[in-house]
Amino acid sequence: AQKITQTQPGMFVQEKEAVTLDCTYDTSDPSYGLFWYKQPSSGEMIFLIYQGSYDQQNATEGRYSLNFQKARKSANLVISASQLGDSAMYFCAMGPSGGSYIPTFGRGTSLIVHP
Amino acid sequence: KAGVTQTPRYLIKTRGQQVTLSCSPISGHRSVSWYQQTPGQGLQFLFEYFSETQRNKGNFPGRFSGRQFSNSRSEMNVSTLELGDSALYLCASSTDLSSYEQYFGPGTRLTVT
């Protein structure tokens, strides 16, 4: 069984500063993917970034980067230069890379960006 | 390109009734997945349809079912509604089966009284 843990229910950051949202995972699958979604107050989930378990380099998408530490089973999301529009819930999730795809989501972290 | 649309946006039903939710994916997307989001259980995967066939299924009772049509539109049905079925039901579409990059709709807020 897969498990995602997000230990920070809420985070605050000043505009233009960087912030790290923590995510740890547990799985017995030899191959898997980790990804992050953002959910603004409007409710729609927005895909941010993906990291495969065999990827050698950390994934980067614009201001988002995924700090993947396989030995520590962590996949933290780093948002650089925070903007007011980054205020939202952030979900870490994982799924196997092949076979039956049943994604598992964490409970989420609420990020508030202060001006 | 139009995004994923879900209808209705809000729904109130009584225990024991059944409900059908609809999802229209982004044009060209062949995969549709459904999720349930509640404060207590968080976001949980229900099932995924691709080419009119259910390909993946989460751990939900048989009261939850779905189907996909030839135009990739999908419906989700919940029979014999329970209070615990009150949730935000999200639909997501993607170009491929089992894709991590999914495009979500705004959801249907179901309240069971």
Side-chain angles (χ1 to χ4, degrees), chain A:
Chain A
Q2 300 175 332
K3 185 177 180 181
I4 294 282
T5 302
Q6 294 180 255
T7 57
Q8 308 154 312
M11 288 282 286
F12 296 88
V13 67
Q14 205 73 24
E15 196 179 7
K16 298 188 178 69
E17 292 185 348
V19 63
T20 298
L21 306 183
D22 295 340
C23 172
T24 58
Y25 64 91
D26 192 21
T27 181
S28 56
D29 289 307
S31 177
Y32 50 89
L34 295 149
F35 45 107
W36 283 85
Y37 275 88
K38 169 186 177 181
Q39 187 177 38
S41 56
S42 59
E44 288 188 43
M45 301 277 285
I46 302 167
F47 173 79
L48 295 178
I49 196 166
Y50 165 81
Q51 176 88 40
S53 59
Y54 288 108
D55 292 342
Q56 295 297 314
Q57 292 193 324
N58 287 341
T60 301
E61 290 287 346
R63 295 186 298 110
Y64 305 106
S65 61
L66 200 154
N67 185 1
F68 180 48
Q69 297 188 46
K70 197 170 183 177
R72 301 179 68 176
K73 294 190 174 181
S74 72
N76 298 338
L77 177 71
V78 180
I79 306 174
S80 63
S82 298
Q83 302 172 356
L84 297 179
D86 293 335
S87 295
M89 282 291 289
Y90 288 81
F91 293 93
C92 178
M94 75 178 302
S97 293
S100 294
Y101 172 73
I102 301 176
T104 301
F105 285 77
R107 299 307 300 269
T109 295
S110 173
L111 175 66
I112 296 176
V113 180
H114 288 301

